[in-house]
Amino acid sequence: MSILVDKNTRLIVQGITGNEGLFHTTQMVAYGTNIVGGVTPGKGGEWVLDGKVPVFDSVKTARDATDANATIIFVPARFAPDAMFEAADAGIPLIICITEGVPVQDMMRVRNYLDQKKVRLIGPNCPGLLTPGEAKVGIIPGNITIPGNVGVVSRSGTLTYEVLYAMKNLGMGASTCVGIGGDPINGTNFRDVLEMFEHDPKTEKVIMIGEIGGNEEEKAAEYISSKMTKPVAGFIAGQTAPPGKRMGHAGAIIEGGAGTAADKIKAMEAAGVKVAKHPEEIPTLLQ
Amino acid sequence: MKLHEYQSKTIFSKYGIPIPKGRVAATAQEARQIADELGGRVVIKSQVLVGGRGKAGGVKLAKDSAEAEQLATQILGMEIKGLPVRKVLVDEASAIDQEIYFAITDDRASKRPVMIASAAGGVDIEEVAAKTPEKIVKASIDPLLGLREYQARDVALAIDLPREYWKDFVKVAMGLWEVYKNSDATLAEINPLVITKDKKMIALDGKMMIDDNALFRQPALSEMRDTDEDAPSEIEARKYGLSFIKLDGNIGCMVNGAGLAMTSMDVIKLFGGEPANFLDVGGGAGAEKVAAAMRIILTDPNVKAVLFNIFGGITRCDEVARGILAAMDEVKPKVPMVVRLVGTNAEEGRKLLENAKMITAETLADAAKKAVEAAKKGK
């Protein structure tokens, strides 16, 4: 089973002919992801990857021709909101937006529109999804993790790689790894993903990697303590970050004393989550 | 990006929100001249990008232009929370009857903008929010519909605003919504919004924060950025698209990815060290960017050791290694360097650095320990 993406995922790539889009399409296809098409307005009819993947002018035409059930977005920030609206209007039920730097007011409009349409969005500003051995929908390097029974959910990119790699070194594999992204307004939060892992028969344990800013980790802790039966280990990045400074991720900022690492760790520990002191320690807490 | 009070109020005024007459001055003589134009009785307000200016003595009332000059001299020589005052706003003084708090900001929890108001506005609004939260009224705004007038009236009612001011309040609220939306603000705040003794509603103070990610479509606002208060290294970093924040420790950090960069700082601290900075070189960082990052880190004289932690994904470790070599050639650093390369092309990267006299590490914990040790020896 795993969650969100697997062998049955039929993926299209929005921005497939751009530098990043093309590079990662190649990587995803090499991993075995079923990419059925791509979209670049004005380049419909062309093919990429030596004639293996057709390019369409719009998401609608791509979906009609390929029956795609997921899309991944690699377009620049100024075009990303439009790409998300287009995918939702074309009836794609799962949108993964890798793009970083999308303005927050755009994201509020996108999120409210997508909620009305009941479309699931992952990201933006995220590394995407990886179900080891089945589908890589994003930019997480495929060779740093192996199939297994640990669900991983994270707000970060390379920090997630660090954890997957530490897991692999211990022989521990992942059911699905979900990067929900580092922006203040995103499509899917920790709680949503934890609920999916709780109901996924292939996931037996969960790793949750949070960071300073916002209160999604606290909400996740509430869910863990009231509803979750599977063991959870975690980590919070930004314990040494000063208040009021934005630590790269638009969401990683301690505002008015709220969103500190200490508060989050306290909430998680109170919910029975084992919180690691450094990322390489996380997988050992689940052994 | 934060805007100064005078910048925020100028924007408010363009959207029909009444503000006091006044201008900004960089010298006491200018302040005196503006006070003369305004009829003498003025408020001298320091323009620094921190809160609590009034309590720090950075806002003063002058009864005539001579006193305005004297107070401006005093305030222009001040430092507020470590920031030197370089400009003052000279505003016509108002006789205040009531102070209201009014703001529009992003609400992360509801994923929507929120309008916040309180009849107990003024300098103690944080205390009001903490001790008597029932005095703070909030109303959620649908980002697809925008603020509707009835919502503004509802808020006016909820804060017991006398009916005779509802029309003015709705005008201010709708104006501030347009300010917030059209400026890509993450915060547009009026505190206080006052009712004067002669029954006028005026935005006495103003504060705005602009979404950095939206500056590409806000060229006029981008130009308002005041870099006087940024560390020179932060300005330099911005030029190269590096995310950099200077801190007080002695271990320089260069990491790819914001989450991992924060974590590397945390792990340094865990093993008894103090990070000198936050630095995310970003995804796909090429040699040129890496070299710039290294120069910026090494301009800080406190730095006694540098930790490079690169987890290659899109970023290729060999590319980073080339950047490190180029920068070492140019900067000739005298402090020890600890390098950890993992992921894409890590092997090639490590080979390139073999002869560079750097300390290498396998794990993040190991790298942090070595950097802490090296920094201690360097003292």
Side-chain angles (χ1 to χ4, degrees):
Chain A
M1 265 285 295
S2 64
I3 66 167
L4 294 162
V5 292
D6 56 28
K7 291 194 292 287
N8 301 316
T9 299
R10 297 174 60 77
L11 185 71
I12 56 169
V13 179
Q14 287 174 259
I16 195 165
T17 57
N19 264 342
E20 273 198 55
L22 198 55
F23 174 77
H24 289 292
T25 299
T26 311
Q27 303 281 316
M28 288 188 282
V29 167
Y31 193 80
T33 309
N34 184 15
I35 296 188
V36 295
V39 177
T40 298
K43 296 205 172 169
E46 293 182 14
W47 293 75
V48 295
L49 265 62
D50 302 321
K52 282 204 272 290
V53 181
V55 181
F56 298 88
D57 280 317
S58 71
V59 179
K60 176 80 170 55
T61 49
R63 184 188 147 94
D64 287 350
T66 65
D67 203 21
N69 57 15
T71 179
I72 185 163
I73 295 174
F74 281 105
V75 306
R78 64 184 72 193
F79 307 119
D82 200 56
M84 289 183 265
F85 285 126
E86 185 185 354
D89 279 343
I92 306 272
L94 176 63
I95 303 173
I96 295 97
C97 184
I98 304 299
T99 309
E100 87 176 80
V102 181
V104 64
Q105 291 200 22
D106 281 324
M107 273 320 299
M108 289 195 280
R109 289 186 280 265
V110 167
R111 177 65 200 267
N112 279 268
Y113 188 73
L114 265 52
D115 281 355
Q116 289 169 17
K117 294 232 162 196
K118 308 224 180 311
V119 170
R120 164 73 60 200
L121 169 69
I122 306 287
N125 188 16
C126 79
L129 308 167
L130 178 63
T131 294
E134 295 199 31
K136 164 175 144 97
V137 179
I139 62 176
I140 301 171
N143 60 353
I144 59 170
T145 181
I146 51 176
N149 62 8
V150 181
V152 178
V153 57
S154 170
R155 260 167 84 178
S156 168
T158 46
L159 174 56
T160 314
Y161 307 170
E162 191 78 67
V163 176
L164 290 172
Y165 185 66
M167 286 165 65
K168 186 184 173 187
N169 285 341
L170 290 173
M172 190 183 277
S175 53
T176 300
C177 175
V178 183
I180 58 174
D183 278 3
I185 311 278
N186 59 8
T188 296
N189 55 36
F190 282 119
R191 192 199 174 286
D192 301 328
V193 181
L194 290 174
E195 195 170 353
M196 289 181 228
F197 280 141
E198 174 68 16
H199 296 124
D200 172 34
K202 238 180 128 180
T203 300
E204 286 171 24
K205 306 164 186 175
V206 176
I207 288 176
M208 170 180 155
I209 306 157
E211 63 188 34
I212 52 164
N215 65 351
E216 293 298 337
E217 287 82 358
E218 286 87 337
K219 284 196 212 157
E222 248 174 68
Y223 176 77
I224 293 167
S225 76
S226 62
K227 297 270 169 59
M228 250 183 118
T229 59
K230 298 177 182 176
V232 183
F235 179 74
I236 299 290
Q239 301 180 36
T240 50
K245 292 275 187 184
R246 188 181 126 177
M247 291 286 161
H249 286 166
I253 179 166
I254 299 168
E255 290 163 301
T260 65
D263 286 350
K264 290 173 190 295
I265 291 170
K266 206 173 138 199
M268 284 164 70
E269 283 180 340
V273 178
K274 289 181 183 165
V275 182
K277 291 197 176 58
H278 61 90
E280 286 151 339
E281 191 194 22
I282 309 172
T284 65
L285 299 178
L286 286 178
Q287 274 183 324
Chain B
M1 177 184 115
K2 290 180 192 165
L3 293 186
H4 281 294
E5 175 194 0
Y6 75 93
Q7 296 169 323
S8 305
K9 274 156 63 176
T10 307
I11 296 169
F12 292 174
S13 163
K14 281 185 194 146
Y15 286 86
I17 299 170
I19 60 167
K21 278 187 198 143
R23 275 202 339 262
V24 73
T27 66
Q29 291 73 24
E30 264 180 88
R32 178 180 190 135
Q33 194 191 335
I34 297 166
D36 265 334
E37 289 166 25
L38 295 172
R41 239 177 94 80
V42 291
V43 185
I44 311 285
K45 307 177 86 177
S46 54
Q47 300 294 292
V48 281
L49 296 173
V50 287
R53 293 172 299 162
K55 286 181 181 167
V59 179
K60 293 265 166 69
L61 180 71
K63 58 184 183 308
D64 54 37
S65 53
E67 195 181 5
E69 180 173 354
Q70 181 203 332
L71 289 172
T73 307
Q74 187 190 324
I75 292 173
L76 283 166
M78 278 174 71
E79 264 191 19
I80 297 178
K81 295 184 183 164
L83 299 174
V85 179
R86 292 188 167 91
K87 289 181 201 121
V88 291
L89 175 63
V90 184
D91 263 358
E92 151 187 84
S94 309
I96 300 165
D97 202 34
Q98 194 194 343
E99 294 187 303
I100 297 161
Y101 176 89
F102 187 61
I104 299 176
T105 186
D106 311 334
D107 179 27
R108 294 172 68 148
S110 69
K111 325 275 182 207
R112 289 152 67 108
V114 64
M115 173 168 55
I116 305 170
S118 174
V123 290
D124 292 320
I125 190 69
E126 276 94 3
E127 215 180 305
V128 172
K131 288 190 183 152
T132 47
E134 70 278 3
K135 286 189 183 162
I136 309 272
V137 174
K138 291 184 183 178
S140 180
I141 300 167
D142 185 329
L144 300 168
L145 270 183
L147 176 66
R148 311 307 305 182
E149 290 192 1
Y150 81 87
Q151 294 183 291
R153 279 194 304 274
D154 283 352
V155 166
L157 181 66
I159 62 168
D160 290 324
L161 187 73
R163 284 194 177 132
E164 55 179 312
Y165 296 111
W166 285 12
K167 222 173 139 184
D168 289 337
F169 183 76
V170 168
K171 200 177 155 215
V172 168
M174 296 310 286
L176 197 67
W177 166 252
E178 293 297 319
V179 167
Y180 168 85
K181 190 179 60 153
N182 295 343
S183 314
D184 273 300
T186 55
L187 172 72
E189 180 187 81
I190 307 174
N191 186 33
L193 173 67
V194 301
I195 296 173
T196 61
K197 297 242 190 261
D198 53 355
K199 296 183 181 289
K200 285 194 183 115
M201 189 174 270
I202 300 176
L204 219 57
D205 202 343
K207 183 176 174 184
M208 283 176 73
M209 287 170 72
I210 310 297
D211 181 0
D212 288 325
N213 285 338
L215 289 176
F216 71 85
R217 63 184 175 206
Q218 300 289 353
L221 293 175
S222 297
E223 280 179 21
M224 288 187 190
R225 187 191 285 276
D226 183 350
T227 53
D228 282 354
E229 292 168 11
D230 296 345
S233 49
E234 290 178 11
I235 299 168
E236 180 73 7
R238 207 177 292 135
K239 257 201 309 208
Y240 289 94
L242 299 164
S243 182
F244 174 87
I245 293 165
K246 195 188 165 325
L247 302 166
D248 299 329
N250 60 7
I251 300 174
C253 308
M254 185 172 104
V255 187
N256 65 325
L260 191 56
M262 279 191 274
T263 303
S264 303
M265 287 160 46
D266 294 347
V267 179
I268 286 174
K269 183 115 178 173
L270 179 68
F271 292 111
E274 287 289 339
N277 65 277
F278 164 92
L279 194 155
D280 170 13
V281 283
E288 196 193 340
K289 222 169 159 185
V290 172
M294 190 147 134
R295 275 199 309 273
I296 290 164
I297 291 171
L298 290 171
T299 49
D300 180 352
N302 293 336
V303 169
K304 297 285 179 268
V306 182
L307 170 64
F308 298 89
N309 184 29
I310 302 295
F311 204 112
I314 319 174
T315 305
R316 288 165 33 209
C317 291
D318 56 331
E319 183 80 17
V320 173
R322 276 190 201 95
I324 294 175
L325 288 174
M328 290 192 46
D329 235 22
E330 185 194 318
V331 190
K332 309 224 182 322
K334 294 181 181 65
V335 299
M337 310 259 174
V338 181
V339 190
R340 173 178 180 249
L341 301 174
V342 195
T344 312
N345 297 356
E347 210 44 60
E348 292 89 325
R350 275 182 225 132
K351 268 205 192 109
L352 282 168
L353 295 179
E354 238 163 35
N355 299 320
K357 285 190 197 152
M358 300 178 95
I359 305 163
T360 56
E362 286 293 315
T363 66
L364 171 54
D366 183 34
K369 275 183 216 164
K370 284 176 172 161
V372 172
E373 220 169 277
K376 275 185 186 149
K377 274 186 203 154
K379 261 182 193 171

